[in-house]
Amino acid sequence: MDQTDPATLPEKIPTHIAIIMDGNGRWALARGLPRMAGHRAGTENLRRIIEACIEFGIQYLTLYAFSTENWGRPLEEVQGLMGILENVIDRELQQLYDQGVQLRHIGRLDRLKPALRRKVLYAVDYTRNNDRLILNVAFNYGGRDEIVCAVQRLIQDGVKAEEVTDQLISRYLFTAGVPDPDLIIRTSGELRGSNFLIWQGAYSEWYFTPTYWPDFDKEELRKALFEYSRRERRYGGVISKDKGPSSHAG
Ligand code: IPE
Ligand code: IPE
Ligand code: MG
């Protein structure tokens, strides 16, 4: 297959891609601009990547936009990021709807200002019948916080110890009903997970690129898909010559 032709795609396409959109600040710094200019450029990139995912036939896309740890940034930046979420909903909701995108939110909304919280809930409700691309926006999301939240609700529901299983825990996470990510991409050269999808990513393939998020375009995404298509996912089993991964335990 001619991978250099931008029109070609690998045969094996992930069902669910998750992206840690990192490097906005450094993108701006490299241009002598304030960090917020990087966040704005990163926001512009969203449209390109969402469109590319739809074109490539991706069914689920999860974007890490604001972590539970990002509250520790200077107040001005935190407020700027809140404002960006608000603007994105105001400006992009109708187009996302027209493209068949179903918006979902993962994380906690309780720390957001009531007006922003209502806006997010409205956008989720407005797009709920779309199914071309399920777009999970991780905003005020932390993997540990998600597990804490799940355990609290399990206890509140009176679930007995012996009833707790892998599957049950998955159903109590913010991502209930969403298949685990096949591929997690992190831009900007950092080689860590930063509290993203720590349960769901147990067997995800990781792809790291030095490119800063505002520059991560359709062609970069296509490159990541080719890399993914060459990975051999074993899930702890062994690959037999003529079959897929297999194990006696499972
Ligand atoms: C990612 O870019 C966006 C958010 C975390 C909100 P950063 O703001 O982390 O950019 P760098 O890592 O400082 O370059
Ligand atoms: C992870 O990036 C969070 C998001 C991209 C939203 P950070 O820039 O916050 O992570 P660290 O601090 O480099 O681990
Ligand atoms: Mg960062």
Side-chain angles (χ1 to χ4, degrees), residues 21-27 35 39 65-66 70 73 77 81:
M21 309 184 289
D22 199 13
N24 293 348
R26 280 163 285 166
W27 182 94
R35 291 180 58 83
H39 293 313
F66 191 90
N70 288 149
R73 295 190 178 198
E77 182 165 345
L81 290 167

Side-chain angles (χ1 to χ4, degrees), residues 7-62:
T8 60
L9 277 179
E11 265 172 43
K12 191 177 90 180
I13 292 284
T15 302
H16 181 180
I17 297 182
I19 308 181
I20 303 177
M21 309 184 289
D22 199 13
N24 293 348
R26 280 163 285 166
W27 182 94
L29 191 72
R31 286 163 180 74
L33 298 168
R35 291 180 58 83
M36 279 316 295
H39 293 313
R40 280 192 292 273
T43 308
E44 291 304 309
N45 195 36
L46 287 172
R47 199 178 306 126
R48 290 198 291 182
I49 292 301
I50 292 168
E51 267 167 26
C53 283
I54 292 173
E55 189 187 321
F56 294 165
I58 309 298
Q59 290 173 45
Y60 296 86
L61 173 64
T62 300

Side-chain angles (χ1 to χ4, degrees), residues 203-219:
Y203 266 105
S204 301
E205 296 296 325
W206 282 84
Y207 178 84
F208 296 101
T209 167
T211 305
Y212 296 145
W213 169 250
D215 294 329
F216 184 85
D217 59 10
K218 180 177 168 183
E219 183 52 26

Side-chain angles (χ1 to χ4, degrees), residues 89 105 109 116-127:
I89 297 175
H105 168 260
L109 290 176
L116 180 54
R117 206 184 307 157
R118 279 197 297 274
K119 207 162 265 188
V120 173
L121 290 173
Y122 174 77
V124 168
D125 185 59
Y126 186 64
T127 59

